[in-house]
């Protein structure tokens, strides 16, 4: 399948926007940081050049203004200010619109931003109203006193033109720097029979005389530097073979002739180590690996029932290879959570300006890796939680001073891995959750009876109810009671749980516990009655035996003693209403729900099982005790237990039975 060059550019533009935005936000911490100023300038320069190459002329023209403003900052002509950073951040949103809808009506919005840019850098700093300077004609006369001659040899990768890179654009930019002579290198041109029409075989040798610094030459190749061969050598301008008159020097000269081979000491730059693969292909490959795991399970079952030693050997090899392939596939789908956290720097910056609060965002555990699907689906819930922490949690600078706190509030985004799940925490040092207001709202909404006894965690969980909000008035940030409801639904759809801790006057902490992956997990296959079920192995701590006598003695209290501690347990046979008699030697599977340990009484532990998760049908969406289903080796179906919801349902049933008894 041939990749669409325009789509390739849009993908690269997204990365450039992230790079520019990160540089701008870092620059706010130290407006004199020359490294960040240079990084932003390079990002804008790359975006402008790439946009022009792919025909996004409006993007290139608009970006040129921002690039010129940062060029002036880079040269020390104007200082970097927080207002300039804010304007360029907003200009990025306009650039994104120019990338997505290049033919839309963006002129009016662009003119407003250019006026603000003009004001931010001073009257003399704003570029002219026209487009960027044309790509022909020198910007500096070659006979300038500080002129230097450069011999430049470069060769682009074979797929450069197929990916949208136009070598003529690079040559035009070199011509802008001063007088130059250009020769083409044909030494790697193959015979006609071996020639691939879409490949680039040419190289170039450019003799350039300019008063621009060496860095200006590097800037020309900045967005193709990683994949190309490049050699730049400086020499005195008098070394030109044919002296030229001032009139001749004022115009770039282009002579294209075959040149000698590139010297052997010219080493290609380090090739790109990453390969872009469409997400759809990874999903399709994941599905194939899942089917392979199911087929391997069936093969293992047939092999164990056979006396053929060769079949068993082949089965063991397939099992090993499918396991390795599964692990490799899981790693391919893993994405550092830092890619998610990075999006919130801009959000916090904008909300701080909007609310007038001083806010610092701290991120921890950015290298923790999570399935890409989980990352995509967590984006919206985290936006709601961060906005809620800023609007409801953090106080204004005046309120913080009055309570003895520093004026700057802190929002912490942290990620840690625990077993087979990742815990993402949103923490603030604000006023905390007002429990009286939550209870009053819950009673007014009919969610709880007035004066009803309620555990603290259950009371705090009320904020996730649909339409629930304790805001005094509706603002652009919150108050409609829909955001936290979205958080709960999304986390539950990911088979996750939410824990809340809040201390009045000290702040709040919301912890999202999410499975690392949604595709294939290691599970423990069990039997309850005649049905088979899978418990995620990441939740299993240990397995014990429960005799029939112990089961009968524990009626009414349902606790088992384990190393000087009492652990409650749930009889799955009764919870699932199997209608079967208990086995003589039942088993207890001790599982952890993150906050407590609970035993699940089962009839038989069959063994570990590579579980390919299949979604439940729409008819079973309300059955929260199961998170999905899997196909076993014999073609049967086993339901996958959702440990958190299962324990909650079991405890509710046990309490009901005790109350009835």
């Amino acid at each position: 399948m041939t990749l669409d060059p325009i789509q390739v550019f849009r993908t690269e533009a997204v990365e450039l926007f992230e790079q520019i935005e990160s540089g701008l936000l870092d620059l706010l911490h130290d407006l004199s940081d020359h490294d960040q100023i240079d990084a932003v300038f390079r990002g804008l320069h790359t975006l402008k050049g790439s946009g022009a190459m792919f025909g996004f002329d409006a993007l290139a023209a608009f970006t040129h203004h921002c690039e010129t403003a940062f060029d002036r900052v880079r040269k020390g002509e104007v200082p970097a200010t927080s207002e300039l950073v804010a304007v360029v951040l907003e200009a990025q949103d306009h650039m994104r619109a120019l990338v997505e809808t290049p033919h839309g009506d963006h002129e009016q919005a662009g003119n407003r931003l250019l006026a603000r840019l003009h004001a931010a850098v001073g009257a003399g700093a704003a570029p002219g109203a026209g487009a960027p300077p044309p790509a022909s004609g020198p910007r500096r006369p070659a006979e300038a006193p500080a002129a230097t001659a450069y011999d430049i040899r470069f060769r682009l990768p074979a797929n450069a033109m197929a990916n949208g890179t136009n070598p003529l654009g690079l040559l035009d930019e070199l011509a802008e720097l001063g007088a130059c002579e250009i020769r083409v290198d044909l030494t790697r041109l193959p015979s006609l029979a071996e020639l691939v029409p879409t490949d680039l075989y040419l190289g170039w040798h450019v003799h350039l005389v300019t008063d621009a610094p060496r860095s200006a030459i590097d800037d020309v190749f900045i967005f193709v530097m990683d994949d190309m061969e490049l050699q730049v050598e400086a020499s005195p301008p008098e070394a030109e073979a044919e002296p030229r008159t001032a009139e001749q020097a004022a115009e770039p000269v282009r002579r294209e002739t075959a040149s000698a081979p590139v010297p052997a000491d010219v080493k290609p730059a380090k090739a790109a180590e990453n390969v872009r693969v469409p997400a759809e292909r990874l999903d399709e490959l994941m599905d194939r690996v899942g089917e392979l795991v199911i087929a391997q399970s069936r093969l293992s079952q047939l092999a164990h029932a056979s006396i053929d030693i060769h079949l068993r050997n082949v089965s063991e090899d397939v099992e090993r290879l499918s396991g390795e392939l599964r692990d490799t596939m899981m790693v391919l789908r893993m994405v550092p959570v830092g890619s998610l956290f990075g999006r919130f720097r801009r959000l916090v910056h904008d909300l701080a300006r909007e609310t007038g609060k001083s806010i610092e965002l701290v991120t921890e555990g950015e290298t923790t890796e999570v399935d890409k699907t989980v990352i995509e689906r967590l984006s919206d819930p985290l936006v709601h939680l961060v906005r809620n922490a800023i609007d409801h949690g953090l106080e204004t600078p005046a309120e913080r001073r009055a309570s003895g706190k520093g004026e700057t509030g802190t929002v912490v985004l942290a990620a840690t891995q625990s077993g087979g799940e990742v815990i993402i925490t949103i923490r603030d040092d604000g006023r905390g959750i007002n429990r009286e207001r939550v209870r009053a709202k819950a009673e007014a909404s009919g969610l709880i009876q007035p004066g009803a006894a309620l555990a603290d965690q259950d009371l705090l969980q009320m904020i996730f109810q649909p339409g629930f909000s304790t805001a005094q008035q509706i603002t652009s940030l919150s108050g409609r009671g829909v955001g936290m409801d979205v958080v709960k639904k999304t986390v539950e759809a990911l088979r996750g749980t939410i824990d809340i801790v809040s201390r009045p006057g000290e702040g709040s902490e919301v912890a999202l516990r999410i499975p690392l992956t949604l595709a294939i997990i290691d599970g423990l296959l069990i039997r309850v009655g005649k049905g088979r079920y899978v418990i995620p192995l990441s939740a299993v701590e240990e397995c014990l035996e429960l005799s029939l006598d112990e089961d009968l003695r524990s009626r009414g209290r349902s606790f088992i003693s384990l190393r000087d501690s009492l652990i409650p347990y749930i009889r799955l046979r009764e919870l699932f209403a199997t209608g079967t008699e208990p086995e003589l030697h039942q088993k207890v599977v001790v599982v952890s729900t993150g906050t407590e340990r609970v035993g699940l009484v089962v009839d038989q532990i069959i063994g570990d099982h590579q579980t390919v998760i299949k979604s439940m049908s729409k008819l079973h969406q309300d059955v929260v005790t199961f998170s999905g289903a899997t196909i076993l080796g014999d073609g049967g179906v086993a339901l996958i237990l959702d440990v958190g919801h299962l324990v909650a349902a079991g405890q509710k049933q046990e309490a009901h039975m005790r109350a009835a008894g």
Side-chain angles (χ1 to χ4, degrees):
M1 182 179 69
T2 303
L3 293 178
D4 179 8
I6 300 300
Q7 190 56 44
V8 170
F9 165 71
R10 286 186 169 132
T11 302
E12 293 178 349
V14 170
E15 296 178 359
L16 287 170
F17 286 135
E18 291 176 355
Q19 172 192 328
I20 295 169
E21 186 172 285
S22 176
L24 288 168
L25 294 171
D26 287 339
L27 186 58
L28 281 175
H29 296 290
D30 182 4
L31 292 171
S32 62
D33 189 335
H34 293 289
D35 289 339
Q36 295 301 336
I37 292 171
D38 289 341
V40 172
F41 172 79
R42 286 194 300 269
L44 292 168
H45 179 80
T46 303
L47 183 64
K48 181 191 79 171
S50 296
M53 283 186 179
F54 286 92
F56 288 79
D57 296 332
L59 171 69
F62 180 83
T63 308
H64 171 72
H65 300 309
C66 298
E67 177 200 19
T68 303
F70 260 87
D71 191 32
R72 294 202 64 188
V73 174
R74 189 175 65 149
K75 292 175 180 176
E77 297 177 10
V78 294
T81 63
S82 58
E83 181 60 26
L84 173 61
V85 172
V87 172
V88 178
L89 279 172
E90 289 189 37
Q92 275 216 119
D93 298 333
H94 182 67
M95 295 176 199
R96 286 189 173 97
L98 292 173
V99 170
E100 294 302 321
T101 56
H103 303 296
D105 184 12
H106 306 294
E107 184 175 357
Q108 188 174 1
N111 289 337
R112 283 199 302 267
L113 286 167
L114 290 180
R116 291 183 56 194
L117 182 66
H118 177 89
V121 295
S136 61
R139 292 184 300 187
R140 302 173 178 85
E143 70 272 18
T148 304
Y150 293 94
D151 282 313
I152 306 167
R153 298 176 185 271
F154 72 92
R155 182 180 295 276
L156 298 172
N159 63 350
M161 296 187 70
N163 289 338
T165 302
N166 185 354
L168 295 180
L170 303 176
L171 296 172
D172 284 340
E173 288 198 51
L174 289 174
E176 292 181 36
L177 299 178
C180 63
E181 296 181 5
I182 302 173
R183 289 176 291 167
V184 65
D185 177 8
L186 304 174
T187 55
R188 300 189 191 178
L189 189 65
S191 64
L192 187 60
E194 299 174 341
L195 188 141
V196 179
T198 57
D199 283 358
L200 178 63
Y201 300 98
L202 306 180
W204 286 269
H205 177 199
V206 180
H207 184 75
L208 171 67
V209 180
T210 179
D211 61 348
R214 161 63 194 271
S215 60
I217 298 175
D218 292 336
D219 285 346
V220 171
F221 300 102
I222 193 168
F223 47 86
V224 291
M225 184 78 75
D226 290 340
D227 301 323
M228 67 180 301
E229 299 175 18
L230 175 65
Q231 183 183 46
V232 181
E233 294 179 352
S235 59
E238 295 77 18
E240 289 185 86
E242 298 179 8
R244 304 171 63 200
T245 66
E247 290 77 10
Q248 291 173 322
E251 295 184 9
V253 178
R254 183 168 295 171
R255 286 207 312 261
E256 298 192 359
T257 58
S259 68
V262 177
D265 60 350
V266 178
K267 297 181 180 179
K270 185 178 180 180
E273 297 179 352
N274 297 324
V275 178
R276 277 198 190 90
V277 178
E280 295 79 9
R281 293 188 182 180
L282 283 181
D283 293 338
E284 184 179 348
L285 183 57
M286 188 74 249
D287 291 340
R288 298 292 181 272
V289 172
E291 297 300 326
L292 175 62
V293 169
I294 293 173
Q296 173 268 316
S297 177
R298 185 178 181 187
L299 176 62
S300 296
Q301 189 170 2
L302 292 173
H304 282 91
S306 172
I307 60 173
D308 189 337
I309 189 64
H310 299 294
L311 178 60
R312 291 191 176 186
N313 289 339
V314 171
S315 173
E316 291 174 359
D317 287 342
V318 172
E319 183 176 358
R320 174 179 57 82
L321 292 172
S322 66
E324 292 174 355
L325 181 59
R326 181 203 65 170
D327 293 341
T328 302
M329 188 63 231
M330 303 304 286
V331 171
L332 286 178
R333 290 171 58 94
M334 291 296 180
V335 179
V337 78
S339 63
L340 176 62
F341 286 177
R343 306 174 192 176
F344 294 95
R345 299 181 64 197
R346 170 71 183 280
L347 175 67
V348 171
H349 169 268
D350 291 346
L351 292 180
R353 289 173 62 90
E354 182 178 341
T355 60
K357 298 177 180 179
S358 179
I359 308 169
E360 180 184 6
L361 176 67
V362 178
T363 57
E364 301 171 357
E366 297 96 326
T367 57
T368 304
E369 293 190 330
V370 189
D371 190 289
K372 72 173 187 66
T373 306
V374 175
I375 289 284
E376 292 165 0
R377 294 169 66 177
L378 276 180
S379 180
D380 284 346
L382 286 183
V383 167
H384 289 299
L385 289 171
V386 170
R387 291 169 71 97
N388 196 69
I390 291 173
D391 192 35
H392 290 293
L394 296 183
E395 312 95 331
T396 63
E399 291 172 337
R400 293 182 67 85
R401 284 195 304 271
S403 60
K405 298 180 181 179
E407 290 189 2
T408 301
T410 303
V411 175
V412 179
L413 276 176
T416 56
Q417 184 176 337
S418 176
E421 63 182 9
V422 63
I423 305 171
I424 297 180
T425 306
I426 302 89
R427 185 168 66 250
D428 67 76
D429 62 349
R431 58 175 64 92
I433 297 176
N434 188 321
R435 288 166 171 77
E436 289 75 16
R437 189 178 297 173
V438 171
R439 173 177 282 276
K441 179 68 176 180
E443 291 178 354
S445 303
L447 296 174
I448 59 175
Q449 294 297 321
L454 208 62
D456 188 61
Q457 185 64 213
D458 294 334
L459 179 64
L460 294 178
Q461 290 284 339
M462 288 291 167
I463 67 174
F464 294 105
Q465 293 296 320
F468 193 96
S469 176
T470 58
Q472 300 289 348
Q473 59 184 2
I474 295 175
T475 68
S476 60
L477 289 186
S478 60
R480 299 186 185 275
V482 293
M484 303 302 275
D485 180 32
V486 170
V487 173
K488 183 179 181 181
K489 288 181 178 178
T490 303
V491 171
E492 289 181 348
L494 290 170
R495 307 195 317 275
T497 58
I498 306 175
D499 298 327
I500 310 178
V501 176
S502 181
R503 295 168 294 277
E506 297 181 17
S508 303
E509 178 178 310
V510 179
L512 311 181
R513 296 177 173 270
I514 310 292
L516 284 175
T517 181
L518 304 177
I520 301 177
I521 61 171
D522 285 320
L524 184 68
L525 187 62
I526 62 170
R527 181 178 60 80
V528 179
K530 297 180 180 179
R532 289 173 292 180
Y533 305 88
V534 173
I535 304 174
L537 203 57
S538 59
V540 177
E541 292 196 352
E542 56 186 301
C543 300
L544 310 170
E545 185 166 312
L546 179 70
S547 68
L548 187 58
D549 292 338
E550 290 176 318
D551 186 23
L552 293 173
R553 282 198 304 268
S554 65
R555 289 283 172 176
R557 59 188 183 91
S558 300
F559 281 94
I560 188 171
S561 177
L562 178 63
R563 291 188 291 276
D564 299 328
S565 63
L566 290 177
I567 297 178
Y569 63 81
I570 300 167
R571 298 173 177 85
L572 295 186
R573 186 182 65 260
E574 295 177 359
L575 184 63
F576 295 162
T578 62
T580 58
E581 293 297 320
E583 299 282 333
L584 185 60
H585 296 286
Q586 300 175 90
K587 304 294 187 294
V588 178
V589 180
V590 180
V591 297
S592 171
T593 63
T595 57
E596 58 182 330
R597 300 166 72 203
V598 178
L600 304 178
V601 180
V602 304
D603 290 326
Q604 180 187 3
I605 296 175
I606 300 174
D608 63 325
H609 184 267
Q610 286 190 26
T611 305
V612 181
I613 301 174
K614 301 291 185 180
S615 300
M616 303 281 281
S617 71
K618 292 183 178 180
L619 295 175
H620 301 89
Q621 286 181 342
D622 295 333
V623 185
V624 295
T625 51
F626 305 112
S627 59
T630 187
I631 301 174
L632 302 176
D634 60 1
V637 174
L639 295 174
I640 303 169
L641 303 183
D642 187 317
V643 173
H645 287 101
L646 179 70
V647 169
Q651 290 174 337
K652 187 178 297 184
Q653 185 191 56
E654 290 280 342
H656 179 72
M657 291 175 62
R658 284 196 298 270

